[in-house]
Structures are given as C-alpha cells and as structure tokens.
C-alpha cells in the first residue's frame, strides 16, 4: 500500500514538472514582448503622475509673492496654492504633507520661490515655514518727492500701495529721509512710511542744535533745504546759495527759483513760459515772496546743514555756467553781465 502511494505521488510530481516545462516553453517566445509592454505601461503611468501631480505648473510664480492664508485647513492651503499656480494637484500636496507627518503644520505667510519646484519640495517648504524672503535694497534719492518715492517703491514691493502711501506721505513731504533701505518684499506702505520718517527723526537729533542756532523754524529750514537740494550739488555752492536766498527773504525780495515749478507742474527752467511765471500758485516764487508753503522734496543731510548754516555774503544772485561752476553777484546788473559772459544770453 505504501509503495502504491509513493508511486502515485511520484506520478503527480512528474505530471506537474511536465506541465511547468510546457508552460515555460510557451512563455519564453513572448516574454520579451510582455516585459516591454509592462515597462511601457509603467512609464506612461509614471509620466502621467509626474505631469499631472508632481511637476511644477507652467505658470509657476517665480520670484513673486505667494500667500498661505492664516488659519486655513490643509485642504484650503492646497486649493490656494493650486489657484496661485504653485502646484498642479491639491491632492498630491495633501498626500505629501501627510507623508511628511506635517498635515497640521502648514505655516501661514508670504513665500517667494526663486525657481519652479515640485509638489514635494513645496510641501517641505510650507511645512517648515521656509518663506525665502530676502530684503530688497532700495535707494531713495536725495531730493526725491513723495510721488517719486511712491512710484519707485510700488515697482519694488508687491504689497506696496502707492495711492495709500501718497495719501499719508504728502503731509510729510520733506521729512522722509533719503537713504538706502532694505525692505522685505511683502512690506506694506505703512511700514515703509514709518521707517522713512523714523530715519529722518533720528538724523534730526544730530541737527537740532544747528537748527535752533539758525533762528529759523524746522519747517523753514527743511523747506529751504529742499530748494537748495535742487539748486546745487557741491556742498560749498549749497552754502553760498543758501546765504543768497536767505538774503532775498531778509530784504523781502522774491526767491525767483524755478525748481518749485518742477515740483508743481513738472517743468524745468528751460520749459517754463512767461505764463507759467505769472500763475497765481502758492509755490510760484516769482509771484509770492518768502518761502513756499512747504518742502518740494526730501533734502539731504548736507542741504539741511547748508540751510541752517549758510555762508555769509552780500550776494543776491547766482547762476551755473555750462561746466557746472556757480557764479554769484551782488546786483542784478552784475548778474546780467555774468549771464551774457558765461551763458551767452
């Protein structure tokens, strides 16, 4: 009996081996074709997943502010990033966050990406709060008006509102210090305005004794300094011009400076007409005597010092020749002679 059972089992095993051999013989001619087919399907599937879920969108906002809203759920963050073209698939982003174990750790705030990144890289940045914000260097030129500042700052700072800045800055014309500043890209106009004014106030501490000794108010000094800023670049000339202009005010003579028209109507000396010079405008220093109602820009430290501490002289007139040299005169006749001599007019 035992011998019969062994014989039967041996027959079964032999039949299994024969069947396996037949199957192998049948599979071998088609194995390469099947392998290639599987690889093609796997490649198409992987490419589809990459292009539909992992790859950065074509409209990826490089070097633009991207906001993750405060108090948002993971799904809301994912939808927001998709709407801002940072990711292709909200589901892929959520899955990445969960794999990282950071499903509840999306850090709200503004982000900047220097180059397109995959959904996995975006998830890591958002989960750790790697905002990528770097300070923007902005140089506010000496003599710049609040309008010029608004235009410059709005181009450099995406969150900056030029109209709101102008509304708040206009009353502070002349008191926003020209300097080199470093602002984060998401800086708002109120923070920028506060920084510019604080810088002015900090410099005023140094200047206050000089202003007090001048016999003029702060507003008078800053207004005169803003005119001097536009009239000359050389420190020595600024102090001489300051003296001449204060002399005019002292004898009740109109200042007759053209730079105030640049502030009001945007015209320089060579564009002004006789009609412009006759306009009844508060900043027309040909019609109105004394200083204009306020500063016409933000003066430099040197111009403020020149306004507060002018070079004493009897000069009332000055002109710059074609080489930039400034010539001073005591009388109008002398001024006209120098004008013909140096300018040919």
């Amino acid at each position: 009996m035992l011998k019969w059972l062994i014989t039967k089992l041996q027959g079964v095993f032999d039949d299994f081996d024969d069947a396996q051999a037949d199957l192998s013989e049948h599979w071998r001619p088609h194995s390469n074709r099947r392998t290639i087919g599987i690889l093609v399907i796997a490649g198409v599937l992987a490419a589809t997943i990459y292009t539909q879920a992992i790859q950065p969108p074509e409209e990826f906002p490089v070097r633009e502010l991207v906001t993750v809203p405060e108090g948002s759920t993971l799904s809301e963050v994912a939808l927001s990033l998709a709407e801002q073209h940072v990711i292709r698939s909200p589901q892929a982003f959520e899955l990445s966050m969960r794999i990282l174990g950071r499903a509840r750790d999306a850090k709200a705030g503004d982000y900047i990406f220097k180059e397109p990144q995959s959904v996995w890289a975006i998830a890591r940045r958002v989960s750790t709060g790697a905002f990528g914000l770097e300070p923007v260097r902005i140089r506010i030129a000496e003599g710049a008006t609040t309008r010029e500042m608004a235009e410059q700052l709005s181009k450099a700072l995406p969150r900056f509102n030029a109209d709101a800045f102008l509304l708040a800055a206009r009353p502070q014309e002349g008191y926003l210090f020209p300097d080199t500043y470093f602002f984060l890209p998401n800086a708002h106009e109120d923070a920028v305005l506060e920084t510019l004014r604080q810088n002015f106030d900090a410099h005023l501490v140094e200047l206050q004794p000089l202003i007090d000794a001048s016999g003029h108010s702060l507003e008078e000094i800053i207004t005169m300094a803003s005119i001097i800023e536009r009239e000359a670049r050389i420190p020595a000339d600024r102090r001489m011009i300051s003296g001449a202009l204060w002399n005019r005010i002292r004898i009740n003579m109109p200042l007759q400076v053209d730079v105030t028209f640049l502030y009001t109507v945007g015209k320089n000396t060579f564009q002004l007409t006789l009609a412009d010079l006759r306009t009844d405008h508060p900043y027309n220093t040909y019609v109105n005597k004394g200083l204009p109602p306020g500063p016409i820009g933000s003066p430099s430290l040197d111009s403020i010092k020149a306004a507060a501490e002018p070079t004493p002289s009897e000069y009332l007139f000055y002109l710059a020749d074609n080489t930039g040299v400034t010539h001073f005169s005591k009388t109008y006749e002398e001024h006209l002679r120098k004008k013909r001599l140096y300018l040919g007019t």
Side-chain angles (χ1 to χ4, degrees):
M1 186 67 180
L2 181 59
K3 184 177 179 181
W4 177 83
L5 183 59
I6 292 173
T7 302
K8 282 290 184 181
L9 287 174
Q10 184 65 49
V12 172
F13 289 143
D14 290 342
D15 291 342
F16 179 78
D17 288 341
D18 292 341
Q20 186 178 28
D22 291 341
L23 185 61
S24 297
E25 287 296 323
H26 177 74
W27 178 268
R28 191 174 293 111
H30 304 284
S31 61
N32 289 340
R33 187 183 304 170
R34 289 189 178 91
T35 301
I36 293 172
I38 292 172
L39 290 175
V40 169
I41 292 172
V44 170
L45 182 60
T48 301
I49 293 174
Y50 179 76
T51 56
Q52 297 299 319
I54 300 175
Q55 184 183 34
E58 293 181 2
E59 308 91 343
F60 192 96
V62 176
R63 296 187 181 279
E64 297 179 14
L65 283 178
V66 172
T67 302
V68 172
E70 187 76 38
S72 300
T73 65
L74 179 59
S75 296
E76 291 170 341
V77 171
L79 287 173
S80 175
L81 292 175
E83 290 172 355
Q84 296 177 78
H85 307 293
V86 180
I87 59 174
R88 290 179 180 270
S89 168
Q91 293 78 16
F93 175 80
E94 288 190 52
L95 179 61
S96 298
M97 292 287 285
R98 296 185 189 282
I99 292 174
L100 288 170
R102 300 286 190 130
R104 298 182 179 181
D105 294 336
K107 300 296 188 296
D110 293 320
Y111 292 78
I112 281 187
F113 303 97
K114 295 182 179 179
E115 58 186 9
Q117 294 183 311
S118 69
V119 67
W120 179 254
I122 298 298
R124 282 186 297 178
R125 294 254 326 243
V126 171
S127 66
T128 58
F131 301 105
L133 300 179
E134 297 178 357
V136 179
R137 182 182 184 275
I138 301 175
R139 172 66 186 176
I140 302 297
E142 296 168 340
T145 65
T146 52
R147 180 171 296 279
E148 291 168 339
M149 292 179 191
E151 293 175 359
Q152 179 185 3
L153 290 162
S154 62
K155 292 177 182 177
L157 304 173
R159 294 280 188 268
F160 185 89
N161 185 308
D163 293 334
F165 175 84
L166 268 180
L167 186 64
R170 269 291 173 80
Q172 302 185 60
E173 187 79 79
Y175 300 89
L176 306 177
F177 200 74
D179 205 344
T180 298
Y181 295 90
F182 292 88
F183 295 109
L184 289 178
N186 60 346
H188 290 265
E189 61 280 353
D190 52 351
V192 173
L193 180 60
E194 183 179 359
T195 300
L196 268 61
R197 182 55 194 253
Q198 285 180 348
N199 196 10
F200 175 87
D201 292 340
H203 282 87
L204 187 61
V205 173
E206 172 193 346
L207 296 170
Q208 195 62 59
L210 192 64
I211 294 173
D212 292 340
S214 72
H216 300 287
S217 67
L218 175 62
E219 183 178 1
E220 290 173 331
I221 291 297
I222 299 302
T223 301
M224 177 62 82
S226 69
I227 294 173
I228 295 169
E229 185 67 44
R230 296 279 186 175
E231 289 285 277
R233 295 297 178 190
I234 301 173
D237 286 349
R238 285 174 171 169
R239 283 158 175 74
M240 290 291 292
I241 290 173
S242 176
L245 294 178
W246 284 123
N247 285 344
R248 290 185 183 185
I249 290 177
R250 180 175 51 80
I251 65 172
N252 204 31
M253 173 184 172
L255 289 179
Q256 296 181 326
V257 290
D258 297 341
V259 291
T260 55
F261 289 95
L262 191 63
Y263 178 71
T264 54
V265 297
K267 291 184 178 182
N268 61 35
T269 299
F270 305 103
Q271 298 170 322
L272 290 173
T273 64
L274 290 176
D276 292 325
L277 300 180
R278 296 192 186 102
T279 55
D280 186 17
H281 192 283
Y283 285 84
N284 186 339
T285 57
Y286 284 81
V287 172
N288 302 291
K289 296 178 180 179
L291 290 166
I296 59 171
S298 291
S300 63
L301 196 62
D302 187 71
S303 290
I304 298 174
K305 290 179 179 178
E309 197 172 44
T311 299
S313 74
E314 296 180 3
Y315 294 129
L316 292 173
F317 303 92
Y318 57 92
L319 62 86
D321 63 24
N322 296 325
T323 65
V325 176
T326 304
H327 303 273
F328 296 86
S329 303
K330 295 179 182 179
T331 65
Y332 186 59
E333 290 74 18
E334 181 185 0
H335 176 68
L336 290 178
R337 286 198 302 271
K338 289 182 178 178
K339 194 173 182 181
R340 288 191 297 268
L341 177 63
Y342 296 112
L343 299 178
T345 58

